[in-house]
Amino acid sequence: MNNSSSSIPQHNDDDEEELRRPQRNQQQITNTTREQEETTTTTPRYEWDFNLSTVVSSHAAGAATDTLGVIEFDPSDTLVATGGIARKIRLYTVNSLLGGCGGGGVALLDHASACEYYICTPAKLSSLKWRPGSGGRVLGSGDYDGVVTEYDLERKVPVFERDEHGGRRVWSVDYSRWDPAVGASGSDDGTMQMWDPRCDGGGTCVATVQPSAARSSVCCVEFNPFSGALVAVGCADRKAYGYDVRKMSDPVIVFDGHKKTVTYIRFLDANTLVSAGTDGCLKLWNTNDSRTIRTYKGHVNSRSFVGLSVWRHGGLLGCGSENNKVFVYDRRWGEPIWVHGFESQLSRSARLAETGTGFVSSVCWRQVGDDHCTLVAGGSDGVLQVYMGKKKPLAY
C-alpha cells in the first residue's frame, strides 16, 4: 500500500544480519558479475510515444486524502478497480476513462462522474486482485486490519472474509491461475498464507510459510501466471523467495540482491520476474537459477510503496517515484525510456511535488495491444492519470 503516513517495513535484526553477511556478500558478488555479463552496452532505443490521455481527480472542496495504493484491471481488461486509504473500492469502465478525449487533448474528469460505482470498506486497502474463475464478478482485497475480503461486484457486498494474520496489515493478495484457484496473502506478521476461498469460515489454510527467521514483513506475493508451481514473495529482509506450492516447507530459490525492502514482485514471463525495492531500483531475475539479468535505475524510491506493473506482451515495466513522476523501462535497457511528472497538470499535484510530499503510488498496465498500450497511474493525492502509448514506425 502506498501511503505517505505508512512506513515501509524494514529488517532491523543486526545479529541475524551479521550471521548472514559473508554468504550474502558472496551472493552479491556473484550476482554482480553475472549482471555485468548480461548488461547491454547499447543506448536505449526510444521506440514508443506516450501521451497523457485522461486525468481523474476530486473537485470537492476539502476532499479526504485518498492515496491510491492499488490499481487493477479485470480479466477482460474492460474494468479498472482502485483502492487506497479512503476506504473505498472504485470501479471504472475503460471506456469512461478513455472516451472523453475525442479531440486529441487531455480529458479532465471528476471521480464522482467517471466512477461507475464504489463499495465502502471497513479499513484502508493495500491490495486488490480479481479471483480467477469468477467471471470478473469477485474481487479480493487485503487491508490495514489484516483481513482478506472478497466482494461480489454485482451485489456490491462482501461474500468471504479471512482474518488469520493476527490483526497485522496484509500488504498483498494474489490467486493461483489453476482450477480451483487458491489464494495467498502476505502480511506484517511475517508470513505468507495460502488458503482455499471456496471454504466457509475464512477458508481452509493450505500452507503457511515464514520466509525470514526474524519474521520480517512479507510485502508482496504473486503466483506464476504462466505455468509451473512457483509462488514468489518479497520481504523486508531485502530478499525475494520462490516456493514450490507442492512442498512449501522451504524456498526452492532465493533472489538476493536488493539492499533494502523488496516491495513488489511481478512475473514477466514463465522464466523471469521483476522485483522492486526501496533501494531505488528494479531487478530482472531468471527464475531457474536466481541470476540477476538486469538492474533498472532512474526513479526515486527509499521509503514508500510506489507501484510496479509489467506489460508482458510489450516487455515494458512501469513504476512510480517519490519525485511524483511515472517511469517506464524497456526490459532490454537499465535506463528509463519515458518519464512523466504528475505535477505538470494539476496545481495541487504541483504543490505536493514542491513540498516533497507527493509521489506516484500505484501503476497498472492494460494487458492488451500489439503496437499500442495503456498505463494507468495513481498518486498520493488521489489523482488518477491514464497514458496511451503507441509504437513508433520503423525507420529505414
Side-chain angles (χ1 to χ4, degrees):
M1 171 58 197
N2 322 311
N3 181 355
S4 56
S5 65
S6 72
S7 50
I8 294 282
Q10 301 291 341
H11 181 74
N12 295 315
D13 192 326
D14 294 334
D15 293 335
E16 182 190 14
E17 176 65 19
E18 190 63 34
L19 287 172
R20 292 185 177 187
R21 191 180 303 278
Q23 180 179 358
R24 194 186 77 241
N25 286 346
Q26 181 61 48
Q27 181 66 46
Q28 286 178 334
I29 292 170
T30 303
N31 282 347
T32 299
T33 302
R34 287 170 171 169
E35 184 181 339
Q36 289 172 346
E37 293 173 355
E38 293 286 338
T39 301
T40 179
T41 58
T42 60
T43 302
R45 295 196 300 269
Y46 301 97
E47 302 173 341
W48 292 86
D49 282 323
F50 287 92
N51 293 289
L52 178 63
S53 170
T54 306
V55 176
V56 187
S57 62
S58 178
H59 298 153
T65 302
D66 186 13
T67 298
L68 294 174
V70 57
I71 303 170
E72 284 289 324
F73 280 93
D74 78 323
S76 68
D77 282 300
T78 59
L79 286 176
V80 179
T82 68
I85 66 174
R87 296 180 172 86
K88 287 181 181 180
I89 299 173
R90 289 191 178 101
L91 278 298
Y92 307 81
T93 66
V94 171
N95 288 339
S96 71
L97 295 179
L98 299 180
C101 51
V106 178
L108 302 178
L109 306 177
D110 186 86
H111 282 296
S113 58
C115 178
E116 288 290 304
Y117 61 90
Y118 64 86
I119 300 172
C120 292
T121 64
K124 301 173 183 178
L125 298 176
S126 52
S127 183
L128 293 173
K129 191 69 66 171
W130 259 272
R131 195 176 96 184
S134 68
R137 177 170 176 168
V138 177
L139 182 65
S141 70
D143 68 31
Y144 275 40
D145 290 345
V147 179
V148 174
T149 306
E150 292 184 345
Y151 292 89
D152 184 317
L153 298 182
E154 290 188 6
R155 294 188 289 152
K156 303 179 180 63
V157 295
V159 292
F160 172 89
E161 184 175 289
R162 188 171 194 277
D163 186 4
E164 300 295 333
H165 284 286
R168 303 294 299 277
R169 185 178 308 178
V170 171
W171 288 109
S172 181
V173 172
D174 195 32
Y175 294 95
S176 69
R177 303 310 191 270
W178 60 76
D179 187 22
V182 297
S185 51
S187 168
D188 266 342
D189 69 356
T191 69
M192 185 273 284
Q193 300 183 15
M194 285 175 50
W195 31 270
D196 188 340
R198 299 173 300 168
C199 300
D200 296 329
T204 299
C205 188
V206 177
T208 299
V209 296
Q210 180 185 312
S212 167
R215 215 174 178 88
S216 299
S217 298
V218 177
C219 299
C220 48
V221 56
E222 183 164 287
F223 290 94
N224 188 334
F226 299 95
S227 62
L230 192 68
V231 58
V233 300
C235 299
D237 68 351
R238 312 176 185 94
K239 298 178 183 178
Y241 302 83
Y243 289 87
D244 187 322
V245 297
R246 297 166 296 187
K247 187 179 181 181
M248 296 284 288
S249 55
D250 295 299
V252 295
I253 193 166
V254 178
F255 306 97
D256 187 0
H258 281 285
K259 297 178 181 178
K260 294 177 71 176
T261 298
V262 177
T263 49
Y264 297 95
I265 286 283
R266 297 288 184 265
F267 281 90
L268 187 55
D269 55 43
N271 298 306
T272 59
L273 61 80
V274 181
S275 63
T278 52
D279 53 1
C281 66
L282 312 179
K283 287 184 177 290
L284 181 67
W285 306 87
N286 185 311
T287 58
N288 297 311
D289 58 11
S290 76
R291 174 167 48 90
T292 307
I293 300 172
R294 189 156 293 109
T295 297
Y296 307 89
K297 294 182 179 180
H299 61 287
V300 180
N301 187 198
S302 63
R303 63 184 184 273
S304 301
F305 285 79
V306 297
L308 172 67
S309 184
V310 298
W311 182 36
R312 298 183 174 110
H313 184 76
L316 300 183
L317 323 176
C319 69
S321 179
E322 289 164 7
N323 61 0
N324 219 25
K325 295 179 181 180
V326 179
F327 283 72
V328 174
Y329 297 89
D330 188 300
R331 65 175 295 169
R332 297 170 291 178
W333 301 292
E335 300 174 15
I337 63 168
W338 185 75
V339 180
H340 182 81
F342 260 40
E343 69 274 17
S344 62
Q345 288 297 319
L346 297 174
S347 58
R348 186 181 176 207
S349 290
R351 291 195 299 272
L352 288 172
E354 290 172 359
T355 59
T357 59
F359 61 96
V360 176
S361 51
S362 53
V363 294
C364 191
W365 291 99
R366 190 183 185 198
Q367 299 295 328
V368 297
D370 293 313
D371 56 359
H372 65 278
C373 57
T374 305
L375 177 65
V376 181
S380 58
D381 58 354
V383 174
L384 198 66
Q385 296 197 4
V386 183
Y387 306 96
M388 303 297 294
K390 184 177 182 181
K391 201 160 191 177
K392 297 178 181 178
L394 292 174
Y396 294 99

